């Protein structure tokens, strides 16, 4: 096996360990680490949740004295700053490792090459870029949040093959199969917050929770410019997860007080009175300042259109069922004004597809602004 193939083999193992912690490390990145000495795996680790040791520290503790002279594989550049934990780059130097293989640089301005510089200044060989693309995709949420201090926004919908999210009468259960719906709950588990418009609550009384064994419920966010949400809605009363409502200046103050007394946080955004809509820029700023690094938008066609039209969406996840419903009055997953000229259509990139039961799942990325 070539040296590059060997590096990729151990880096894939580190990536697998990092991936296993999805949904529990935010706002920190997913990081895995492997230590190899003389062809033997002597240490392995992953970052599990904020405040706990980083992946490199777990691997170093497992390796013990076998770390000296070894090679450590890390999916993200070792940190160089004091945060909730100490700098991993210094711990690697102190342990006497001979070589560090890194998948991707850390975009965190507090690191951004400093960790690698510490290692090289100590005489440690550093190899960069092994499976970098896989690592960056794994940490697409962290990479956006740590630079912009706003959550990575994924818009998600389920459609028939003719693009409908419901029939002309509003019937929508169920478009997709049990396999696709289970995958949606995995997405919810991995997301910091889930967002819908108030119309979704009025229509379905949705709980917006995660129905997986051991699943984590995300923060529930509702856009409601005039506080039409029923006070007995399940997102208000069930206590399964926090609920935040973003509204406008025309909202009823007395109803706002009652909702807040029920434990709901209500935020008033500027400019909503004129447009009749909530200011999405402010929503993202509030979520980001609260260390919500990922947002799953499950709203209807108008809500999704607002995120797309304003250039605020990062990724699309679309589940397509082999069904046809037809009808000019049947809603689609993205409404709004729409594009006038085909040459101006939003061009998605990085398309991936997989089959889930009878359905197809598509993932793609919006252009970067």
């Amino acid at each position: 096996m070539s040296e590059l193939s060997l590096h990729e083999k151990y880096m894939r193992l580190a990536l697998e360990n990092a991936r296993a912690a999805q949904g529990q490390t935010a706002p920190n990145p997913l990081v895995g680490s492997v230590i190899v000495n003389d062809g033997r795996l002597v240490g392995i680790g992953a970052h599990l949740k904020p405040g706990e040791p980083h992946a490199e520290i777990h691997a170093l503790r497992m390796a013990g004295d076998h770390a000296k002279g070894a090679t450590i594989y890390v999916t993200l550049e070792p940190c160089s700053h004091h945060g909730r934990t100490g700098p991993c780059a210094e711990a690697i130097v102190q342990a006497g490792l001979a070589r560090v293989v890194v998948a991707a640089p850390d975009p965190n301005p507090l690191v951004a090459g400093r960790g690698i510089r510490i290692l090289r200044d100590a005489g440690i060989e550093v190899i960069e870029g092994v499976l970098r693309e896989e690592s960056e995709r794994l940490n697409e949420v962290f990479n956006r949040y740590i630079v912009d201090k706003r959550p990575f926004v994924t818009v998600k919908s389920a459609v028939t093959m003719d693009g409908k999210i419901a029939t002309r009468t509003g019937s929508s259960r169920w478009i997709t199969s049990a396999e696709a719906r289970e995958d949606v709950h995995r997405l919810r588990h991995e997301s910091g917050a889930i967002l819908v418009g108030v119309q979704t609550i009025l229509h379905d009384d949705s709980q917006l929770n995660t129905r997986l064994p051991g699943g984590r419920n995300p923060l529930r966010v509702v856009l409601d410019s005039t506080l039409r949400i029923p006070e007995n809605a399940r997102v208000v009363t069930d206590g399964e997860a926090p609920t935040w409502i973003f509204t406008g200046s025309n909202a009823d103050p007395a109803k706002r007080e009652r909702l807040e007394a029920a434990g709901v946080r209500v935020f008033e955004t500027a400019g909503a009175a004129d447009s009749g809509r909530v200011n999405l820029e402010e929503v993202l700023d509030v979520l980001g300042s609260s260390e919500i690094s990922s947002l799953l938008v499950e709203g209807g066609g108008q809500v999704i259109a607002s995120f797309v039209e304003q250039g605020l969406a990062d990724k699309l996840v679309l589940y397509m069922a082999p069904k046809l419903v037809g009808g000019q009055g049947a809603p689609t997953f993205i409404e709004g004004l729409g594009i006038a000229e085909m040459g101006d259509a939003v061009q998605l990139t990085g398309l991936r597809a997989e089959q889930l039961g009878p359905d197809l799942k598509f993932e793609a990325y919006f252009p970067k602004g």
Side-chain angles (χ1 to χ4, degrees), residues 290-311:
S290 302
E291 294 192 338
I292 302 298
S293 59
S294 58
L295 175 65
L296 181 64
V297 177
E298 286 197 10
Q302 290 294 340
V303 171
I304 289 178
S306 295
F307 276 90
V308 175
E309 289 170 354
Q310 295 180 44

Side-chain angles (χ1 to χ4, degrees), residues 104-181:
D106 191 336
N108 186 343
L110 296 175
V111 184
R114 293 182 182 89
I116 289 174
R117 192 155 53 248
I118 289 172
L119 298 172
R120 285 186 169 142
D121 288 347
I124 296 174
E125 179 188 0
V126 179
I127 298 174
E128 300 179 67
V130 176
L131 301 185
R132 174 171 178 167
E133 184 177 343
E134 289 91 332
S135 176
E136 289 182 337
R137 186 154 193 156
L138 180 65
N139 274 314
E140 60 191 13
V141 167
F142 171 77
N143 293 343
R144 169 65 188 268
Y145 172 76
I146 200 64
V147 174
D148 298 333
K149 298 304 179 186
R150 278 185 171 181
F152 182 91
V153 177
T154 299
V155 295
K156 164 263 165 186
S157 193
V159 300
T160 59
M161 288 193 76
D162 50 349
K164 307 298 186 180
I165 59 173
T167 68
R168 59 182 173 80
T169 65
S171 173
S172 60
R173 293 191 177 181
W174 294 102
I175 292 175
T176 52
S177 63
E179 292 91 338
R181 297 198 300 273

Side-chain angles (χ1 to χ4, degrees), residues 70-127:
T71 296
I72 185 169
Y73 295 83
V74 190
T75 60
L76 190 68
E77 175 185 356
C79 65
S80 58
H81 64 290
H82 289 270
R84 291 170 177 167
T85 60
C88 293
E90 292 183 5
I92 290 172
V93 172
Q94 292 169 5
L97 282 104
R99 181 166 53 186
V100 178
V101 182
V102 178
D106 191 336
N108 186 343
L110 296 175
V111 184
R114 293 182 182 89
I116 289 174
R117 192 155 53 248
I118 289 172
L119 298 172
R120 285 186 169 142
D121 288 347
I124 296 174
E125 179 188 0
V126 179
I127 298 174

Side-chain angles (χ1 to χ4, degrees), residues 261-320:
V264 175
R265 292 190 67 182
V266 181
F267 300 84
E268 180 180 318
T269 65
D274 296 332
S275 66
R277 295 183 181 180
V278 171
N279 188 314
L280 298 183
E281 299 265 5
E282 290 189 34
V283 172
L284 296 182
D285 286 339
V286 169
L287 293 175
S289 66
S290 302
E291 294 192 338
I292 302 298
S293 59
S294 58
L295 175 65
L296 181 64
V297 177
E298 286 197 10
Q302 290 294 340
V303 171
I304 289 178
S306 295
F307 276 90
V308 175
E309 289 170 354
Q310 295 180 44
L312 300 175
D314 295 298
K315 184 177 183 179
L316 171 67
V317 175
L318 188 67
Y319 300 88
M320 180 176 286

